[in-house]
Amino acid sequence: MSKRYTITAALPYTNGPIHIGHLAGVYVPADIYSRYLRLTGNDVAFICGSDEHGVPITIKAKKEGVTPQDIVDKYHAIIKQSFIDFGITFDNYSRTSAKIHHDTAQEFFKTLYDKNEFVEEVTEQLYDAEANQFLADRFVTGTCPKCGNEEAYGDQCESCGSSLNATDLINPKSAITGNIPTLKETKHWFLPLNKHEDFLREWILKGHKKDWKPNVYGQVKSWIDDGLRPRAVTRDLDWGIPVPVEGGEGKVLYVWFDAPIGYISATKEWAEREGKNWEDYWKDEDTKLVHFIGKDNIVFHCIIFPSMLKAEGSYILPDNVPANEFLNLEGQKLSTSKNWAVWLPDYLIDFPNQQDVLRYALTANAPETKDNDFTWKDFQARNNNELVAIFGNFINRVVVLTNKYYGGIIPEPSDYSTIDEETLATVKAYPAVISSSIERYRFREASQELMNLARLGNKYLADEEPWKTFKTDEARTKTVMFVALQIASALAVLSEPFLPFTSNKLKSILCHSALDAESTWDDISSKEVLLPANHQIGKGELLFSKIEDAQIEAQLEKLITSKKANEAANKVVEPQKEEITFEDFTKLDLRVGTILEAEKMPKTKKLLVLKVDTGIDTRTIVSGIAESFKPEEVIGKRVTVLVNLAPRKLRGVESQGMILMTEDEGGNLVFVNPDTDAVNNGLQIS
Ligand SMILES: [Zn+2]
C-alpha cells in the first residue's frame, strides 16, 4: 500500500569535501531506501542540504584568511556536485544559509520561546580573554568526564558519543589560543531536556521503538537512564542565525538547534517549487519520518530534535533513525585532519564512470551493526569477483547470444521444463525478499540478495547450455534464452536502488523504454512475462570492467603518500626561544675545535668525556651524546664549541664548554659542523 515518506539524510558539514565514510554511513543507504520506495509507488520527499553554521567553519575561515561565507560557498558546491555524481537522488538539496531556513529556524525558536519551553539563565561560561570570545562547542577541548578521552569538544565527545556542556570538560583549553579559559557570565536559552525525559522514555523505551537498531536503542537508553539536563540552544557567536527575541542581540542559535530544522526548511523550499503542501510531510500522522545518520549524531536525532518537535507541538516524530556505525579505511579511522580518506572527487578521477562499483562495495560491506573496514583489496574483489564475474558476465552472455542467434529479437518460448518453472518462480520471489531486507534497513543483506539473483541467472545458463543445444534443439534454445532474458530484465529493475547507473544502462540495452509501460518492482512478481517475445533488444556493452592490481597498488601508495605529506605539513617544530639582544649574542664565544680523544663516562648512558682542541687550548668537555655516537666515531670530528660557558662539574668531571648540536630531518643528533679551516677566532654573524 502506498504511503507518504519524509526521508532525511544528515546535513553534511561544509568545511570540506565528503569521503567514502559519509557515503557508506548515510547517503548510499538513504538513497537505496528512497529509490526503493519510489519504485514501489510511494510518495517520497528525500531531503538534505549543507550545514553551514557552527564553529569549525569560522575556525577554518580564520585559518585561511577568508570569510565563513567563502568557505561554505566553496564546499556547498563541491559537496552538491559529489551527490549528483554518485546518483544520490535528493528531491531537494538545500543549505542552511538560505533565507527560508533562517526564517524557519527563527520562527521555530520564537514558537518555543512564546510557549515558555526554554529556560532563560545567566550562567558562567568558559571564556578566552585573549581572543575576547566565549568558548563553546569546537572552540574548546578538554577531557571527557564520561570516558576520559582527552580531546572531547565543548558540545560532544566523539569517542563515547556523549553530549556535553562546555563546562563539563575537565582541564578545558581554548582551541583558539591554547589558553586555559576563565569563567564569565552570559545569558542563554536552555532547552530543559529533563522536562522531556518522561516523554522520551515513554516514546522510545516503552513505545514501539524496539525495532530500532540495537546500537541506536542502546545509546539512547543509556542517556535517558543517566538523566538528561538542560542544553543551551544559543551561543555568543557572530556566525549563525541571530536569536530572534529580546536580549538575543549578538547571539546566534546553536548549530545543532538550527541544523535539524534544516530538514523542515528544505522540505518547504521543495514543496513551494513543486506545488505541494510541506505540512503533509511533517505534520500528518500518516507520514513516516526516517532520519539517516552516522552514530555520532544519534543524540541530536533521538533526544534533542524529538524534544524540540514535541515542545513545538504540531510535528510528527521520527519513525526510525537507522544510524550506522563508522567505516574505517585500511584498518585506521577515517580522518579529515590526517588526510586518511578517499575523497569522492578524487575517486572519480581515478575510477571514472565507476560510481556503482563504489556504491556496491560500500553497501556490501556497510558498517550497519559494527564499525567496518574499507580496503582497496575488498573493493577490487567485489568488482572483479561479483560485479564483473557474476552480474556482468550473466548479462553479457544473454545479450550477446540473443543478438547472435536471433538478431536481438526475443524468441518465442515452447513448453517450460520443471527447471524453467522453478527458476521463473524464484525470480518472482526476489522483489519480496529484497524488499524485506530494505524495509528492515538491512542494505548489505539486500545487496547480496540482488547478487544472488544474478548468480541464479549464471547458474541457469551454465546448466542449460544454450550454446550446446543451439545446434541440436532449436525450440529448447529459444525457451532457455527467453527465460534468461526475463532474469536479465528483473535484474535491470531490482538493481536500480543499488546500482542506478548500471540499471539505466541495462534497461537501455534491453530497450525497456519500448515496452508498453516501464517495468516496476511489483511487475516482476505479478506479470507473467517482463520482456515479451518479439521485443527487440539492443547491442551489448560491458557493464563492469576488471580492476587491475596496479590500480589498487596505486591507491594504497596514494594513501600513504598523502598521509606522509600531511604529517610533514603538521610537524611540530620547536617554537623560537625568547628574543635576545645583539649584545647578548656577542657575549657568546664560539670556536671551531677538533675532538682529540673520547671515552664513555663510566656508569652513564648519555655522557661522553671529550678532549677538544679549541685553537686556544685543549680542554675537557662532557657531552650528552653517547646515545647517538660511539667514542671512536667522534674522534677527529670538527665541531663548534661554546668556549666561554662557565665550567660545571658532571659526575665529578669538570666540563669546560659545550659542543653545538642540531637534529637532521630524521630527528637524529648531528654536529653543527663547520666545513672550513679558516676559523678559530670565534664564529661571526654576517
Ligand atoms: Zn567521552
Side-chain angles (χ1 to χ4, degrees):
M1 205 180 69
S2 164
K3 263 195 82 135
R4 194 189 299 110
Y5 286 83
T6 302
I7 299 161
T8 72
L11 306 187
Y13 199 63
T14 36
N15 66 342
I18 53 175
H19 56 57
I20 54 167
H22 302 121
L23 212 52
V26 177
Y27 304 106
V28 166
D31 187 60
I32 292 172
Y33 191 65
S34 300
R35 283 178 180 267
Y36 159 75
L37 289 173
R38 290 192 200 104
L39 265 173
T40 47
N42 296 285
D43 177 8
V44 174
F46 182 22
I47 297 297
C48 193
S50 294
D51 178 5
E52 305 189 321
H53 298 129
V55 169
I57 284 165
T58 64
I59 292 179
K60 191 169 178 97
K62 241 179 220 170
K63 219 167 154 186
E64 296 187 6
V66 297
T67 66
Q69 192 64 45
D70 292 334
I71 297 284
V72 301
D73 286 347
K74 176 179 166 187
Y75 290 112
H76 172 73
I78 292 173
I79 293 170
K80 193 174 175 183
Q81 189 57 46
S82 284
F83 288 138
I84 294 169
D85 290 341
F86 279 84
I88 308 297
T89 51
F90 296 126
D91 290 295
N92 193 26
Y93 188 79
S94 187
R95 52 195 305 191
T96 60
S97 60
K99 184 175 183 300
I100 194 167
H101 175 66
H102 276 236
D103 293 348
T104 305
Q106 286 186 329
E107 196 186 302
F108 199 107
F109 184 92
K110 198 108 189 349
T111 305
L112 264 57
Y113 178 87
D114 291 340
K115 290 180 76 177
N116 274 321
E117 289 287 347
F118 293 130
V119 178
E120 190 178 317
E121 211 177 330
V122 175
T123 56
E124 291 194 312
Q125 294 295 325
L126 302 181
Y127 185 75
D128 184 333
E130 189 186 329
N132 189 23
Q133 170 103 49
F134 279 98
L135 300 175
D137 312 329
R138 307 274 146 144
F139 274 138
V140 57
T141 60
T143 302
C144 170
K146 299 249 165 78
C147 76
N149 165 30
E150 289 178 9
E151 284 163 20
Y153 295 111
D155 57 343
Q156 196 188 15
C157 169
E158 288 191 341
S159 185
C160 68
S162 294
S163 147
L164 303 170
N165 289 318
T167 45
D168 296 338
L169 292 173
I170 301 160
N171 298 325
K173 205 172 92 178
S174 165
I176 311 167
T177 61
N179 293 344
I180 294 167
T182 53
L183 289 170
K184 190 177 168 178
E185 284 193 338
T186 179
K187 181 171 78 177
H188 282 295
W189 287 270
F190 291 75
L191 184 66
L193 292 174
N194 44 317
K195 190 182 138 183
H196 301 288
E197 209 173 290
D198 289 344
F199 143 71
L200 289 167
R201 192 179 292 280
E202 196 67 32
W203 173 60
I204 299 175
L205 303 186
K206 291 188 190 154
H208 303 292
K209 306 303 174 203
K210 287 273 165 66
D211 60 340
W212 283 18
K213 293 169 78 166
N215 56 334
V216 178
Y217 181 85
Q219 273 205 39
V220 173
K221 182 175 186 319
S222 98
W223 284 318
I224 296 176
D225 289 348
D226 263 6
L228 300 172
R229 290 174 303 152
R231 279 281 297 204
V233 294
T234 52
R235 293 288 187 266
D236 294 287
L237 290 173
D238 49 16
W239 178 247
I241 298 175
V243 173
V245 297
E246 211 189 307
E249 298 77 17
K251 296 175 197 290
V252 299
L253 302 181
Y254 172 41
V255 65
W256 267 111
F257 184 86
D258 96 64
I261 297 173
Y263 301 139
I264 300 170
S265 34
T267 310
K268 277 188 184 174
E269 193 178 66
W270 166 75
E272 264 174 34
R273 201 169 59 215
E274 300 289 320
K276 296 183 182 244
N277 177 10
W278 74 270
E279 291 188 305
D280 290 346
Y281 295 84
W282 280 95
K283 299 190 173 184
D284 181 343
E285 286 296 336
D286 287 336
T287 296
K288 195 164 156 178
L289 174 63
V290 180
H291 297 309
F292 281 86
I293 57 166
K295 71 170 164 189
D296 48 337
N297 289 346
I298 293 174
V299 67
F300 302 107
H301 287 80
C302 298
I303 303 266
I304 299 176
F305 191 43
S307 298
M308 287 163 57
L309 294 172
K310 182 72 173 38
E312 202 279 349
S314 65
Y315 284 87
I316 53 170
L317 297 169
D319 183 79
N320 210 321
V321 185
N324 269 336
E325 301 287 295
F326 288 146
L327 185 74
N328 294 323
L329 170 60
E330 299 289 348
Q332 291 180 42
K333 211 175 157 179
L334 276 156
S335 167
T336 301
S337 60
K338 291 182 181 136
N339 205 10
W340 190 255
V342 178
W343 305 102
L344 299 191
D346 294 350
Y347 172 87
L348 275 186
I349 293 170
D350 295 342
F351 298 94
N353 300 317
Q354 298 189 64
Q355 294 94 323
D356 278 351
V357 180
L358 188 60
R359 283 180 67 120
Y360 180 72
L362 294 176
T363 305
N365 195 23
E368 285 177 0
T369 51
K370 59 177 175 54
D371 288 358
N372 239 351
D373 201 20
F374 175 90
T375 67
W376 281 109
K377 275 274 163 215
D378 176 69
F379 167 83
Q380 183 190 27
R382 294 283 181 193
N383 180 72
N384 294 357
N385 305 343
E386 295 176 19
L387 294 175
V388 175
I390 300 171
F391 195 117
N393 183 46
F394 169 65
I395 297 298
N396 193 47
R397 286 206 282 189
V398 172
V399 173
V400 167
L401 291 181
T402 306
N403 275 287
K404 191 172 155 192
Y405 297 164
Y406 313 114
I409 295 169
I410 297 182
E412 288 278 359
S414 311
D415 290 342
Y416 290 141
S417 71
T418 317
I419 290 181
D420 298 341
E421 274 169 358
E422 279 172 12
T423 302
L424 287 170
T426 309
V427 173
K428 285 184 197 298
Y430 262 97
V433 169
I434 298 175
S435 293
S436 159
S437 296
I438 292 180
E439 283 170 14
R440 286 175 298 137
Y441 309 101
R442 295 183 182 180
F443 302 106
R444 31 187 316 172
E445 189 181 276
S447 72
Q448 295 316 292
E449 291 297 350
L450 177 73
M451 195 50 71
N452 284 339
L453 176 57
R455 273 192 189 97
L456 174 79
N458 250 347
K459 184 172 185 316
Y460 178 77
L461 275 189
D463 290 348
E464 301 308 310
E465 299 181 301
W467 44 86
K468 279 194 183 163
T469 59
F470 183 65
K471 290 164 202 149
T472 56
D473 189 341
E474 194 189 323
R476 180 63 197 148
T477 309
K478 284 182 173 173
T479 307
V480 169
M481 289 310 298
F482 181 86
V483 170
L485 279 154
Q486 306 310 313
I487 305 175
S489 188
L491 276 172
V493 176
L494 296 177
S495 63
E496 201 218 286
F498 310 92
L499 308 165
F501 298 93
T502 306
S503 164
N504 265 343
K505 244 188 192 173
L506 183 48
K507 282 177 191 165
S508 131
I509 293 171
L510 298 177
C511 299
H512 268 208
S513 59
L515 296 169
D516 292 343
E518 275 278 306
S519 297
T520 68
W521 193 272
D522 295 332
D523 287 347
I524 296 164
S525 328
S526 60
K527 276 196 175 170
E528 196 52 47
V529 294
L530 289 169
L531 288 181
N534 299 317
H535 171 78
Q536 168 84 52
I537 68 163
K539 294 269 178 256
E541 65 177 296
L542 283 186
L543 296 179
F544 305 101
S545 50
K546 203 175 164 214
I547 291 173
E548 303 296 337
D549 289 348
Q551 287 174 277
I552 295 307
E553 278 149 26
Q555 289 304 318
L556 290 169
E557 189 80 4
K558 192 170 162 182
L559 263 181
I560 289 162
T561 310
S562 70
K563 191 187 178 196
K564 275 191 184 151
N566 196 62
E567 276 169 4
N570 290 333
K571 195 182 169 208
V572 180
V573 176
E574 286 295 315
Q576 181 187 308
K577 291 178 183 166
E578 206 176 312
E579 200 171 83
I580 59 167
T581 63
F582 182 73
E583 282 68 33
D584 290 336
F585 178 76
T586 59
K587 287 181 190 165
L588 302 177
D589 191 346
L590 295 166
R591 308 249 170 176
V592 174
T594 305
I595 299 175
L596 302 176
E597 293 173 23
E599 58 185 43
K600 202 127 185 259
M601 171 87 84
K603 293 180 186 166
T604 67
K605 269 192 191 164
K606 288 189 175 173
L607 299 180
L608 288 187
V609 183
L610 310 173
K611 284 266 182 319
V612 183
D613 175 2
T614 63
I616 35 176
D617 55 17
T618 297
R619 57 174 78 190
T620 300
I621 295 176
V622 179
S623 183
I625 58 174
E627 285 180 322
S628 301
F629 301 97
K630 293 188 179 124
E632 57 271 25
E633 288 172 350
V634 303
I635 293 171
K637 285 256 190 244
R638 296 169 63 75
V639 293
T640 310
V641 188
L642 175 61
V643 293
N644 64 335
L645 183 69
R648 69 181 176 132
K649 275 199 171 171
L650 289 161
R651 299 281 175 121
V653 179
E654 188 175 84
S655 180
Q656 301 159 314
M658 197 174 250
I659 311 274
L660 267 58
M661 308 294 297
T662 186
E663 278 178 8
D664 68 10
E665 280 175 6
N668 305 306
L669 214 53
V670 291
F671 293 109
V672 176
N673 203 351
D675 280 333
T676 170
D677 291 328
V679 272
N680 273 9
N681 289 319
L683 293 180
Q684 297 186 0
I685 41 168
S686 58

